[in-house]
Amino acid sequence: MDSDLAESVAALKDIFAKRGIPASFGKAETPVVEELKKTFRVPSRYRAFLLAADPIDVETVTPVERVRLASSTKLASEQTLGGKRTDEIPNWRKSWVIIARSALLGDPYFLDVSKLDAEGDCPIYTCMIGTDTIKPELCASSFQQFLRILATSMEVATGFGEAVLDDDDEAIFREALAPKIKTIDSAALRAGHWT
């Protein structure tokens, strides 16, 4: 695992510990990861993440979103939307691989493996399910930045408690998060998913 990815994983693990929220990371088995590479063309940085910090039971908690990461053994079964396999859904691209879901809405978070960068990473998108057309929205320019945004979101959420927020509190949370996301990934900030 490269140093940028290692820092993002450490930040995520640290904020779970700091907030006292249970999270279980493991180490994926090499044959499982190789099969994911072959079947879904998952990029090298994501494979390194699974081998070093497979998210066995990991769900981030913020006032506006809960993101549940898929473990290596569940990744293949995650490739569904609304009860249908993604390869049966019009406008779903073969290069999109679901790696997480919103635990609140069920919306997928997915890699676009057709847009690999020099580090063997690719952007993360989401889309609303239950609509007529799929409109991908950028969440992070890379998987490494996605993990950093999740950790930072949980850090900002520390002062908000666990109660349901009203609209004013939600707006305050998003305003507090925006400058932090800008330093991590300005393209993600401009896309507006987190803010």
Side-chain angles (χ1 to χ4, degrees):
M1 189 164 35
D2 64 72
S3 61
D4 287 343
L5 182 58
E7 285 177 18
S8 293
V9 169
L12 190 59
K13 288 180 177 180
D14 288 349
I15 194 62
F16 274 107
K18 181 179 172 186
R19 288 191 54 197
I21 297 171
S24 176
F25 291 90
K27 292 185 185 308
E29 295 179 17
T30 302
V32 171
V33 174
E34 286 303 311
E35 185 60 33
L36 294 173
K37 175 185 175 185
K38 194 166 64 177
T39 306
F40 300 110
R41 298 183 1 242
V42 293
S44 59
R45 197 179 244 175
Y46 184 70
R47 293 193 313 269
F49 166 73
L50 293 176
L51 290 168
D54 192 8
I56 307 301
D57 186 11
V58 177
E59 183 177 305
T60 65
V61 179
T62 72
V64 297
E65 177 64 296
R66 289 176 176 247
V67 177
R68 176 167 276 287
L69 298 172
S71 68
S72 61
T73 57
K74 294 182 179 171
L75 199 71
S77 63
E78 281 293 320
Q79 307 309 305
T80 62
L81 283 180
K84 291 183 179 178
R85 289 190 342 252
T86 53
D87 60 1
E88 300 172 336
I89 296 171
N91 302 340
W92 189 266
R93 297 183 186 163
K94 288 182 179 182
S95 62
W96 294 347
V97 181
I98 298 171
I99 59 157
R101 289 200 188 267
S102 166
L104 299 177
L105 304 170
D107 294 343
Y109 288 89
F110 52 93
L111 302 167
D112 186 345
V113 300
S114 70
K115 298 181 178 179
L116 285 179
D117 65 18
E119 281 91 28
D121 207 338
C122 58
I124 306 291
Y125 293 87
T126 190
C127 65
M128 288 177 53
I129 58 172
T131 59
D132 291 338
T133 58
I134 294 172
K135 295 179 183 167
E137 183 177 83
L138 181 72
C139 296
S141 298
S142 70
F143 178 69
Q144 175 268 323
Q145 289 168 309
F146 179 67
L147 292 179
R148 180 64 76 173
I149 289 170
L150 292 178
T152 301
S153 297
M154 284 188 54
E155 189 177 312
V156 170
T158 302
F160 283 85
E162 302 303 319
V164 176
L165 300 183
D166 64 27
D167 290 343
D168 290 341
D169 289 337
E170 185 176 324
I172 291 167
F173 172 77
R174 291 180 186 275
E175 285 173 23
L177 183 59
K180 295 182 181 294
I181 289 180
K182 184 177 183 180
T183 62
I184 298 168
D185 186 349
S186 59
L189 178 66
R190 285 191 305 274
H193 173 71
W194 305 104
T195 57

